[in-house]
Protein backbone atom coordinates (compact mmCIF):
# COMPACT_ATOMS: atom_id res chain seq x y z
CA UNK A 1 0.00 0.00 0.00
CA UNK A 2 2.82 2.33 0.98
CA UNK A 3 4.70 1.48 -2.23
CA UNK A 4 1.59 2.17 -4.29
CA UNK A 5 1.23 5.56 -2.64
CA UNK A 6 4.87 6.36 -3.40
CA UNK A 7 4.42 5.34 -7.02
CA UNK A 8 1.28 7.47 -7.31
CA UNK A 9 3.11 10.44 -5.78
CA UNK A 10 6.05 9.96 -8.17
CA UNK A 11 3.74 9.81 -11.19
CA UNK A 12 1.80 12.89 -10.02
CA UNK A 13 5.07 14.79 -9.51
CA UNK A 14 6.27 13.80 -12.99
CA UNK A 15 3.02 14.93 -14.57
CA UNK A 16 3.17 18.25 -12.71
CA UNK A 17 6.78 18.84 -13.80
CA UNK A 18 5.91 17.88 -17.39
CA UNK A 19 3.01 20.34 -17.50
CA UNK A 20 5.13 23.12 -15.99
CA UNK A 21 7.89 22.46 -18.55
CA UNK A 22 5.43 22.38 -21.42
CA UNK A 23 4.20 25.86 -20.53
CA UNK A 24 7.78 27.23 -20.59
CA UNK A 25 9.20 25.15 -23.43
CA UNK A 26 10.79 26.81 -26.46
CA UNK A 27 10.68 23.56 -28.35
CA UNK A 28 10.09 19.95 -27.64
CA UNK A 29 9.35 16.48 -28.88
CA UNK A 30 6.78 13.86 -27.94
CA UNK A 31 7.01 10.21 -28.95
CA UNK A 32 4.43 7.50 -28.53
CA UNK A 33 4.99 3.98 -29.85
CA UNK A 34 3.52 0.51 -29.98
CA UNK A 35 5.77 -2.48 -30.49
CA UNK A 36 5.27 -6.24 -30.43
CA UNK A 37 8.00 -8.81 -29.69
CA UNK A 38 7.44 -12.53 -30.13
CA UNK A 39 10.01 -15.30 -29.91
CA UNK A 40 10.28 -19.06 -29.86
CA UNK A 41 13.14 -21.53 -29.39
CA UNK A 42 14.13 -24.95 -30.71
CA UNK A 43 13.35 -26.87 -27.52
CA UNK A 44 11.47 -30.09 -28.18
CA UNK A 45 7.87 -30.26 -26.93
CA UNK A 46 6.69 -30.48 -24.23
CA UNK A 47 9.56 -28.15 -23.27
CA UNK A 48 8.85 -24.59 -24.30
CA UNK A 49 10.94 -21.45 -23.83
CA UNK A 50 9.22 -18.57 -25.57
CA UNK A 51 7.44 -15.30 -24.96
CA UNK A 52 5.73 -12.20 -26.23
CA UNK A 53 5.76 -8.56 -25.22
CA UNK A 54 3.63 -5.58 -26.24
CA UNK A 55 5.20 -2.26 -25.38
CA UNK A 56 3.82 1.26 -25.41
CA UNK A 57 6.86 3.50 -25.00
CA UNK A 58 6.34 7.19 -24.34
CA UNK A 59 8.91 9.98 -24.12
CA UNK A 60 8.86 13.73 -23.69
CA UNK A 61 11.60 16.21 -24.39
CA UNK A 62 11.54 19.95 -23.64
CA UNK A 63 14.11 22.54 -24.66
CA UNK A 64 14.05 25.42 -22.19
CA UNK A 65 15.93 28.70 -22.14
CA UNK A 66 19.57 28.73 -21.03
CA UNK A 67 20.64 25.56 -22.83
CA UNK A 68 18.55 23.28 -20.63
CA UNK A 69 16.93 20.23 -22.15
CA UNK A 70 14.61 18.12 -19.98
CA UNK A 71 13.52 14.59 -20.76
CA UNK A 72 11.36 11.82 -19.36
CA UNK A 73 10.63 8.36 -20.69
CA UNK A 74 9.00 5.10 -19.75
CA UNK A 75 6.83 2.38 -21.21
CA UNK A 76 3.75 0.38 -20.46
CA UNK A 77 4.16 -3.32 -21.02
CA UNK A 78 1.99 -6.38 -21.38
CA UNK A 79 3.90 -9.66 -21.64
CA UNK A 80 3.78 -13.43 -21.28
CA UNK A 81 6.84 -15.58 -20.60
CA UNK A 82 6.69 -19.35 -21.05
CA UNK A 83 9.35 -21.62 -19.58
CA UNK A 84 9.72 -25.28 -18.67
CA UNK A 85 11.58 -24.81 -15.42
CA UNK A 86 9.08 -26.74 -13.28
CA UNK A 87 6.63 -28.00 -15.83
CA UNK A 88 5.65 -25.70 -18.66
CA UNK A 89 3.87 -22.57 -17.50
CA UNK A 90 3.41 -18.98 -18.55
CA UNK A 91 3.84 -15.93 -16.33
CA UNK A 92 1.95 -12.80 -17.34
CA UNK A 93 2.83 -9.21 -16.50
CA UNK A 94 1.07 -5.93 -17.07
CA UNK A 95 2.80 -2.88 -15.63
CA UNK A 96 4.48 0.43 -16.32
CA UNK A 97 8.28 0.41 -16.30
CA UNK A 98 10.63 2.56 -14.27
CA UNK A 99 10.63 6.17 -15.39
CA UNK A 100 13.87 7.77 -16.45
CA UNK A 101 13.78 11.56 -16.16
CA UNK A 102 16.44 14.21 -16.10
CA UNK A 103 18.09 17.08 -17.88
CA UNK A 104 20.98 18.05 -20.08
CA UNK A 105 22.58 21.44 -19.52
CA UNK A 106 24.74 22.83 -22.32
CA UNK A 107 27.25 25.55 -21.45
CA UNK A 108 30.90 26.49 -21.91
CA UNK A 109 33.70 25.39 -19.60
CA UNK A 110 37.43 25.66 -20.24
CA UNK A 111 36.39 27.78 -23.22
CA UNK A 112 34.78 24.88 -25.09
CA UNK A 113 31.23 23.50 -25.49
CA UNK A 114 30.32 21.33 -22.51
CA UNK A 115 27.38 19.36 -21.25
CA UNK A 116 26.21 18.10 -17.89
CA UNK A 117 23.61 15.33 -17.97
CA UNK A 118 21.76 14.16 -14.88
CA UNK A 119 19.27 11.31 -15.03
CA UNK A 120 17.09 9.72 -12.36
CA UNK A 121 15.74 6.22 -12.46
CA UNK A 122 12.41 6.54 -10.67
CA UNK A 123 11.15 3.13 -9.51
CA UNK A 124 7.67 3.21 -11.02
CA UNK A 125 8.05 -0.31 -12.43
CA UNK A 126 7.57 -3.86 -11.22
CA UNK A 127 10.87 -4.91 -9.55
CA UNK A 128 10.13 -8.64 -9.92
CA UNK A 129 9.60 -8.52 -13.69
CA UNK A 130 13.24 -8.86 -14.80
CA UNK A 131 14.02 -11.75 -12.46
CA UNK A 132 10.93 -13.73 -13.38
CA UNK A 133 11.33 -13.31 -17.15
CA UNK A 134 14.88 -14.66 -17.25
CA UNK A 135 14.20 -18.33 -17.92
CA UNK A 136 11.97 -17.63 -20.93
CA UNK A 137 13.99 -14.73 -22.24
CA UNK A 138 16.59 -14.71 -24.98
CA UNK A 139 20.22 -14.33 -23.85
CA UNK A 140 20.65 -10.72 -22.76
CA UNK A 141 24.22 -10.79 -24.05
CA UNK A 142 22.66 -10.84 -27.51
CA UNK A 143 19.26 -9.15 -27.08
CA UNK A 144 18.94 -6.44 -24.44
CA UNK A 145 16.19 -6.75 -21.86
CA UNK A 146 13.27 -4.55 -22.92
CA UNK A 147 11.97 -3.81 -19.43
CA UNK A 148 13.47 -2.05 -16.41
CA UNK A 149 12.01 -2.26 -12.90
CA UNK A 150 14.71 -1.61 -10.31
CA UNK A 151 15.59 0.65 -7.42
CA UNK A 152 16.09 4.39 -7.32
CA UNK A 153 19.11 5.42 -9.37
CA UNK A 154 21.02 8.53 -10.34
CA UNK A 155 23.42 8.92 -13.23
CA UNK A 156 25.52 11.92 -14.15
CA UNK A 157 27.88 12.66 -17.01
CA UNK A 158 30.09 15.67 -17.70
CA UNK A 159 31.41 16.08 -21.23
CA UNK A 160 33.62 18.54 -23.11
CA UNK A 161 34.09 18.98 -26.84
CA UNK A 162 37.39 20.28 -28.22
CA UNK A 163 37.97 21.44 -31.81
CA UNK A 164 40.36 19.14 -33.67
CA UNK A 165 41.15 20.33 -37.18
CA UNK A 166 37.92 20.22 -39.11
CA UNK A 167 36.42 17.80 -36.57
CA UNK A 168 35.85 17.68 -32.82
CA UNK A 169 37.08 15.52 -29.98
CA UNK A 170 34.81 14.78 -27.03
CA UNK A 171 35.88 13.70 -23.55
CA UNK A 172 33.55 12.66 -20.76
CA UNK A 173 33.29 11.03 -17.36
CA UNK A 174 30.20 9.63 -15.71
CA UNK A 175 28.88 7.79 -12.69
CA UNK A 176 25.73 5.79 -12.03
CA UNK A 177 24.42 5.13 -8.53
CA UNK A 178 22.08 2.13 -8.22
CA UNK A 179 19.82 1.83 -5.19
CA UNK A 180 18.81 -1.50 -3.65
CA UNK A 181 15.51 -3.19 -4.48
CA UNK A 182 13.72 -6.46 -3.94
CA UNK A 183 14.10 -8.44 -7.15
CA UNK A 184 12.18 -11.40 -5.76
CA UNK A 185 15.10 -13.79 -6.20
CA UNK A 186 13.90 -15.81 -3.20
CA UNK A 187 17.42 -16.15 -1.91
CA UNK A 188 17.00 -14.41 1.44
CA UNK A 189 14.43 -12.88 3.77
CA UNK A 190 15.08 -9.25 2.78
CA UNK A 191 16.49 -9.99 -0.64
CA UNK A 192 17.82 -6.52 -1.25
CA UNK A 193 19.73 -6.57 -4.51
CA UNK A 194 22.04 -3.60 -5.01
CA UNK A 195 23.61 -3.69 -8.45
CA UNK A 196 27.11 -2.27 -8.45
CA UNK A 197 27.51 1.41 -9.25
CA UNK A 198 29.22 2.15 -12.55
CA UNK A 199 32.04 4.52 -13.53
CA UNK A 200 32.38 5.67 -17.12
CA UNK A 201 35.17 7.31 -19.13
CA UNK A 202 34.95 7.99 -22.85
CA UNK A 203 36.36 9.89 -25.77
CA UNK A 204 35.30 10.26 -29.37
CA UNK A 205 36.33 11.95 -32.59
CA UNK A 206 33.60 13.24 -34.86
CA UNK A 207 34.32 14.40 -38.37
CA UNK A 208 31.54 15.92 -40.42
CA UNK A 209 31.33 15.81 -44.20
CA UNK A 210 29.08 17.19 -46.92
CA UNK A 211 25.46 16.08 -46.94
CA UNK A 212 25.27 15.57 -43.16
CA UNK A 213 27.64 12.62 -43.38
CA UNK A 214 29.61 11.81 -40.23
CA UNK A 215 32.51 9.64 -39.19
CA UNK A 216 32.70 8.77 -35.48
CA UNK A 217 35.52 6.95 -33.71
CA UNK A 218 34.78 5.97 -30.09
CA UNK A 219 36.75 4.61 -27.17
CA UNK A 220 35.18 4.10 -23.75
CA UNK A 221 35.48 2.09 -20.57
CA UNK A 222 33.29 1.08 -17.66
CA UNK A 223 34.36 0.06 -14.16
CA UNK A 224 32.00 -1.28 -11.50
CA UNK A 225 31.62 -1.36 -7.75
CA UNK A 226 30.51 -4.61 -6.07
CA UNK A 227 26.97 -5.89 -6.39
CA UNK A 228 25.56 -6.73 -2.97
CA UNK A 229 22.72 -8.92 -1.84
CA UNK A 230 21.25 -8.21 1.58
CA UNK A 231 24.23 -5.94 2.23
CA UNK A 232 26.84 -8.62 1.51
CA UNK A 233 29.27 -8.38 -1.40
CA UNK A 234 28.24 -10.92 -3.98
CA UNK A 235 29.94 -10.13 -7.27
CA UNK A 236 31.84 -7.38 -9.02
CA UNK A 237 32.01 -7.10 -12.77
CA UNK A 238 35.43 -6.52 -14.25
CA UNK A 239 36.13 -3.30 -16.13
CA UNK A 240 35.41 -3.33 -19.83
CA UNK A 241 36.83 -1.48 -22.80
CA UNK A 242 34.79 -0.58 -25.86
CA UNK A 243 35.89 0.69 -29.27
CA UNK A 244 33.84 1.41 -32.35
CA UNK A 245 33.81 3.12 -35.73
CA UNK A 246 30.70 4.57 -37.37
CA UNK A 247 30.04 6.04 -40.77
CA UNK A 248 26.70 7.83 -41.00
CA UNK A 249 25.16 8.81 -44.32
CA UNK A 250 21.46 9.66 -43.84
CA UNK A 251 20.82 9.24 -47.58
CA UNK A 252 22.70 6.00 -48.38
CA UNK A 253 24.93 3.45 -46.64
CA UNK A 254 25.75 3.78 -42.93
CA UNK A 255 27.43 1.29 -40.67
CA UNK A 256 28.80 0.85 -37.19
CA UNK A 257 31.53 -1.66 -36.31
CA UNK A 258 32.70 -2.26 -32.76
CA UNK A 259 33.85 -4.54 -30.01
CA UNK A 260 33.90 -4.92 -26.24
CA UNK A 261 36.49 -6.63 -24.05
CA UNK A 262 35.95 -7.51 -20.37
CA UNK A 263 38.58 -8.02 -17.73
CA UNK A 264 38.00 -10.79 -15.13
CA UNK A 265 35.36 -10.22 -12.47
CA UNK A 266 35.58 -10.44 -8.68
CA UNK A 267 33.76 -13.46 -7.23
CA UNK A 268 33.07 -14.79 -3.78
CA UNK A 269 36.01 -17.04 -2.97
CA UNK A 270 36.01 -18.45 0.57
CA UNK A 271 33.61 -15.74 1.73
CA UNK A 272 35.43 -12.74 0.26
CA UNK A 273 35.60 -11.18 -3.18
CA UNK A 274 38.61 -12.22 -5.19
CA UNK A 275 39.65 -12.16 -8.84
CA UNK A 276 38.16 -15.14 -10.60
CA UNK A 277 40.63 -17.62 -12.08
CA UNK A 278 38.98 -17.45 -15.50
CA UNK A 279 37.09 -14.71 -17.29
CA UNK A 280 33.27 -14.70 -16.95
CA UNK A 281 32.66 -12.58 -20.01
CA UNK A 282 33.83 -13.36 -23.50
CA UNK A 283 34.68 -10.52 -25.87
CA UNK A 284 32.00 -9.41 -28.28
CA UNK A 285 32.00 -7.78 -31.72
CA UNK A 286 29.23 -6.32 -33.84
CA UNK A 287 28.47 -4.84 -37.25
CA UNK A 288 25.30 -2.80 -37.86
CA UNK A 289 24.89 -1.69 -41.49
CA UNK A 290 21.91 0.21 -42.90
CA UNK A 291 20.88 1.69 -46.21
CA UNK A 292 18.44 4.57 -46.58
CA UNK A 293 16.40 5.33 -49.67
CA UNK A 294 14.38 8.42 -48.89
CA UNK A 295 12.27 7.63 -45.86
CA UNK A 296 12.75 3.87 -46.22
CA UNK A 297 15.65 2.27 -44.34
CA UNK A 298 16.83 -1.31 -44.42
CA UNK A 299 18.99 -2.06 -41.38
CA UNK A 300 20.90 -5.19 -40.50
CA UNK A 301 22.71 -6.33 -37.39
CA UNK A 302 25.28 -8.97 -36.61
CA UNK A 303 26.72 -9.63 -33.16
CA UNK A 304 29.04 -12.37 -32.02
CA UNK A 305 29.86 -13.13 -28.39
CA UNK A 306 32.84 -15.39 -27.80
CA UNK A 307 32.67 -18.14 -25.20
CA UNK A 308 33.95 -17.09 -21.80
CA UNK A 309 37.11 -18.44 -20.19
CA UNK A 310 35.53 -21.35 -18.30
CA UNK A 311 35.62 -24.93 -19.53
CA UNK A 312 32.50 -26.55 -20.95
CA UNK A 313 32.09 -28.65 -17.82
CA UNK A 314 32.38 -25.75 -15.33
CA UNK A 315 29.27 -24.14 -13.86
CA UNK A 316 30.24 -20.60 -14.88
CA UNK A 317 30.71 -21.61 -18.51
CA UNK A 318 28.89 -19.47 -21.06
CA UNK A 319 29.21 -20.36 -24.72
CA UNK A 320 28.43 -16.95 -26.17
CA UNK A 321 26.53 -16.88 -29.43
CA UNK A 322 25.54 -15.17 -32.63
CA UNK A 323 22.75 -12.79 -33.57
CA UNK A 324 21.82 -12.00 -37.16
CA UNK A 325 18.95 -9.62 -37.80
CA UNK A 326 17.26 -7.47 -40.41
CA UNK A 327 14.91 -4.52 -39.84
CA UNK A 328 13.11 -2.56 -42.56
CA UNK A 329 11.40 0.69 -41.54
CA UNK A 330 9.41 3.41 -43.24
CA UNK A 331 8.79 6.93 -41.99
CA UNK A 332 5.61 8.67 -43.14
CA UNK A 333 5.81 12.43 -42.69
CA UNK A 334 2.57 14.32 -42.16
CA UNK A 335 4.17 17.76 -42.00
CA UNK A 336 7.43 19.32 -40.83
CA UNK A 337 6.73 18.47 -37.21
CA UNK A 338 5.06 15.10 -37.13
CA UNK A 339 5.67 11.65 -38.54
CA UNK A 340 4.68 8.04 -38.12
CA UNK A 341 7.29 5.30 -38.39
CA UNK A 342 6.49 1.68 -39.21
CA UNK A 343 9.03 -1.04 -38.57
CA UNK A 344 9.41 -4.79 -38.40
CA UNK A 345 12.33 -7.11 -37.81
CA UNK A 346 13.49 -10.68 -37.70
CA UNK A 347 16.45 -11.97 -35.69
CA UNK A 348 17.99 -15.41 -35.61
CA UNK A 349 19.79 -15.95 -32.32
CA UNK A 350 22.11 -18.81 -31.48
CA UNK A 351 23.12 -19.40 -27.87
CA UNK A 352 26.12 -21.68 -28.24
CA UNK A 353 26.14 -24.79 -26.03
CA UNK A 354 23.30 -23.40 -23.91
CA UNK A 355 21.24 -26.60 -23.98
CA UNK A 356 21.69 -30.32 -23.65
CA UNK A 357 20.49 -32.95 -26.09
CA UNK A 358 18.89 -36.31 -25.35
CA UNK A 359 22.35 -37.88 -24.94
CA UNK A 360 23.32 -35.34 -22.32
CA UNK A 361 25.70 -33.41 -24.57
CA UNK A 362 25.79 -29.65 -24.79
CA UNK A 363 24.07 -28.27 -27.87
CA UNK A 364 23.04 -24.92 -29.30
CA UNK A 365 19.75 -23.25 -28.47
CA UNK A 366 18.33 -21.11 -31.25
CA UNK A 367 15.67 -18.42 -30.98
CA UNK A 368 13.58 -16.74 -33.65
CA UNK A 369 12.53 -13.22 -32.75
CA UNK A 370 9.91 -11.24 -34.66
CA UNK A 371 8.99 -7.66 -33.98
CA UNK A 372 6.72 -5.11 -35.57
CA UNK A 373 5.54 -1.75 -34.44
CA UNK A 374 5.04 1.90 -35.02
CA UNK A 375 6.12 5.19 -33.49
CA UNK A 376 4.39 8.55 -33.68
CA UNK A 377 6.59 11.60 -33.24
CA UNK A 378 5.50 15.20 -32.98
CA UNK A 379 7.77 18.21 -32.58
CA UNK A 380 6.48 21.45 -31.13
CA UNK B 1 30.89 22.07 -41.56
CA UNK B 2 30.46 23.95 -38.25
CA UNK B 3 31.88 22.22 -35.19
CA UNK B 4 29.86 23.47 -32.24
CA UNK B 5 30.42 20.41 -30.05
CA UNK B 6 26.87 19.21 -30.51
CA UNK B 7 27.75 16.02 -32.40
CA UNK B 8 30.49 14.77 -30.10
CA UNK B 9 28.56 15.60 -26.90
CA UNK B 10 25.41 13.93 -28.17
CA UNK B 11 27.42 10.86 -29.10
CA UNK B 12 29.05 10.71 -25.65
CA UNK B 13 25.61 10.91 -24.08
CA UNK B 14 24.48 8.03 -26.26
CA UNK B 15 27.51 5.92 -25.29
CA UNK B 16 26.82 6.55 -21.62
CA UNK B 17 23.12 5.74 -21.83
CA UNK B 18 23.52 2.67 -24.02
CA UNK B 19 26.43 1.42 -21.96
CA UNK B 20 24.50 1.65 -18.71
CA UNK B 21 21.59 -0.18 -20.23
CA UNK B 22 23.70 -3.04 -21.58
CA UNK B 23 26.05 -3.36 -18.64
CA UNK B 24 23.19 -3.17 -16.20
CA UNK B 25 21.69 -6.24 -17.81
CA UNK B 26 25.00 -8.05 -17.74
CA UNK B 27 25.33 -7.45 -14.03
CA UNK B 28 21.81 -8.58 -13.43
CA UNK B 29 22.11 -11.83 -15.32
CA UNK B 30 25.58 -12.75 -14.16
CA UNK B 31 25.78 -16.28 -12.77
CA UNK B 32 27.05 -14.91 -9.45
CA UNK B 33 23.88 -12.92 -8.94
CA UNK B 34 20.99 -14.35 -10.83
CA UNK B 35 22.23 -15.77 -14.11
CA UNK B 36 22.73 -19.21 -12.58
CA UNK B 37 19.00 -19.52 -13.02
CA UNK B 38 19.29 -18.58 -16.66
CA UNK B 39 22.27 -20.81 -17.40
CA UNK B 40 21.02 -23.78 -15.43
CA UNK B 41 17.59 -23.50 -16.92
CA UNK B 42 19.05 -24.39 -20.26
CA UNK B 43 21.55 -26.90 -18.95
CA UNK B 44 19.34 -28.85 -16.58
CA UNK B 45 16.14 -29.41 -18.50
CA UNK B 46 14.95 -32.99 -18.03
CA UNK B 47 16.09 -35.53 -20.69
CA UNK B 48 12.74 -35.57 -22.41
CA UNK B 49 12.78 -31.82 -22.73
CA UNK B 50 15.88 -31.14 -24.75
CA UNK B 51 16.81 -29.28 -27.84
CA UNK B 52 17.40 -31.50 -30.90
Amino acid sequence: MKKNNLKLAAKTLLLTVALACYSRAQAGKFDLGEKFYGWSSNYVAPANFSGYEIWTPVSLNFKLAGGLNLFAQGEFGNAGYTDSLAGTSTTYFTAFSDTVAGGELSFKSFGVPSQLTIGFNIPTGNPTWEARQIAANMPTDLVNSRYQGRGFGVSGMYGLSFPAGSGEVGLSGGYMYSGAYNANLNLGPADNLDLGDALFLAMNHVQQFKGNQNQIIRLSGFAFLPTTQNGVNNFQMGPNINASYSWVNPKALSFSLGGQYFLPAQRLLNGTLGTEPKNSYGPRIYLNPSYAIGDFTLAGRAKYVFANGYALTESFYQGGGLLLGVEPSLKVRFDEGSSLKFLGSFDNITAQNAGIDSLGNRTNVTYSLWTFGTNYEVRF
Amino acid sequence: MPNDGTSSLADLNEQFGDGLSVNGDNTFTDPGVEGSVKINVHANVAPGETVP
Side-chain angles (χ1 to χ4, degrees):
Chain A
M1 193 67 186
K2 194 177 174 183
K3 277 186 181 174
N4 287 338
N5 287 340
L6 280 173
K7 284 185 180 180
L8 184 63
K11 286 174 185 172
T12 306
L13 180 64
L14 279 173
L15 186 62
T16 307
V17 171
L19 288 171
C21 291
Y22 180 75
S23 66
R24 300 171 68 91
Q26 296 181 328
K29 189 164 77 84
F30 171 73
D31 280 89
L32 179 66
E34 194 69 29
K35 193 167 184 184
F36 170 85
Y37 284 75
W39 66 94
S40 59
S41 65
N42 63 336
Y43 276 88
V44 177
N48 186 349
F49 290 85
S50 59
Y52 72 86
E53 297 165 339
I54 302 166
W55 301 110
T56 308
V58 59
S59 69
L60 269 170
N61 200 303
F62 298 108
K63 278 189 179 175
L64 304 180
L68 182 61
N69 183 26
L70 298 179
F71 60 85
Q73 63 187 55
E75 60 186 348
F76 183 79
N78 181 306
Y81 301 100
T82 300
D83 68 59
S84 299
L85 247 186
T88 299
S89 61
T90 303
T91 305
Y92 298 96
F93 290 104
T94 302
F96 199 77
S97 69
D98 282 358
T99 304
V100 177
E104 299 161 5
L105 181 63
S106 299
F107 56 99
K108 279 207 166 186
S109 59
F110 302 102
V112 297
S114 309
Q115 194 173 68
L116 179 67
T117 303
I118 304 287
F120 297 92
N121 187 72
I122 302 161
T124 50
N126 178 347
T128 70
W129 185 311
E130 289 183 89
R132 293 168 68 190
Q133 74 173 2
I134 284 178
N137 203 3
M138 298 156 286
T140 52
D141 277 355
L142 292 163
V143 183
N144 292 342
S145 176
R146 280 75 55 200
Y147 185 83
Q148 182 152 318
R150 300 182 183 175
F152 177 75
V154 185
S155 63
M157 192 201 83
Y158 173 57
L160 300 138
S161 177
F162 298 90
S166 58
E168 49 192 63
V169 168
L171 297 173
S172 71
Y175 188 87
M176 182 182 75
Y177 161 80
S178 300
Y181 66 105
N182 185 350
N184 192 33
L185 302 182
N186 298 320
L187 297 175
D191 207 22
N192 272 323
L193 180 67
D194 191 342
L195 300 177
D197 294 0
L199 292 149
F200 170 73
L201 281 175
M203 66 178 298
N204 63 12
H205 179 268
V206 180
Q207 183 79 47
Q208 297 180 322
F209 297 91
K210 286 180 185 172
N212 288 326
Q213 296 179 91
N214 278 297
Q215 171 189 268
I216 309 170
I217 299 168
R218 307 181 184 91
L219 185 65
S220 66
F222 278 88
F224 303 92
L225 273 58
T227 290
T228 65
Q229 198 157 25
N230 297 322
V232 178
N233 284 343
N234 185 300
F235 178 80
Q236 183 174 5
M237 278 183 80
N240 64 52
I241 300 162
N242 315 277
S244 67
Y245 174 88
S246 292
W247 174 260
V248 181
N249 182 344
K251 294 180 179 173
L253 178 69
S254 302
F255 68 92
S256 187
L257 171 71
Q260 184 175 37
Y261 182 80
F262 289 85
L263 295 169
Q266 302 283 311
R267 286 191 181 281
L268 273 182
L269 304 168
N270 301 320
T272 56
L273 283 183
T275 303
E276 59 182 354
K278 299 171 185 174
N279 200 333
S280 289
Y281 292 90
R284 47 214 66 198
I285 52 175
Y286 66 87
L287 172 66
N288 296 336
S290 66
Y291 198 92
I293 306 169
D295 288 326
F296 174 78
T297 302
L298 182 63
R301 48 185 169 251
K303 183 177 182 181
Y304 185 74
V305 180
F306 292 85
N308 70 5
Y310 288 89
L312 199 64
T313 51
E314 293 179 290
S315 60
F316 292 133
Y317 170 79
Q318 287 186 60
L322 174 69
L323 175 144
L324 293 170
V326 62
E327 180 173 310
S329 64
L330 176 67
K331 197 172 197 176
V332 179
R333 298 173 197 270
F334 298 116
D335 51 44
E336 284 189 2
S338 63
S339 63
L340 189 61
K341 185 177 182 180
F342 298 94
L343 56 89
S345 71
F346 174 74
D347 293 271
N348 181 273
I349 300 139
T350 303
Q352 292 180 149
N353 292 323
I356 51 172
D357 63 19
S358 55
L359 300 175
N361 298 315
R362 291 264 191 175
T363 190
N364 294 345
V365 177
T366 58
Y367 298 86
S368 296
L369 167 66
W370 293 89
T371 75
F372 57 87
T374 184
N375 186 71
Y376 177 65
E377 178 180 293
V378 58
R379 294 175 184 272
F380 51 86
Chain B
M1 303 298 291
N3 290 312
D4 58 3
T6 308
S7 300
S8 56
L9 291 171
D11 182 67
L12 289 168
N13 248 331
E14 193 179 317
Q15 281 187 64
F16 185 51
D18 289 354
L20 289 181
S21 140
V22 172
N23 288 299
D25 286 336
N26 283 342
T27 308
F28 191 78
T29 55
D30 184 87
V33 181
E34 167 60 14
S36 52
V37 174
K38 178 188 172 75
I39 298 305
N40 289 334
V41 163
H42 292 153
N44 297 335
V45 176
E49 300 180 350
T50 57
V51 289

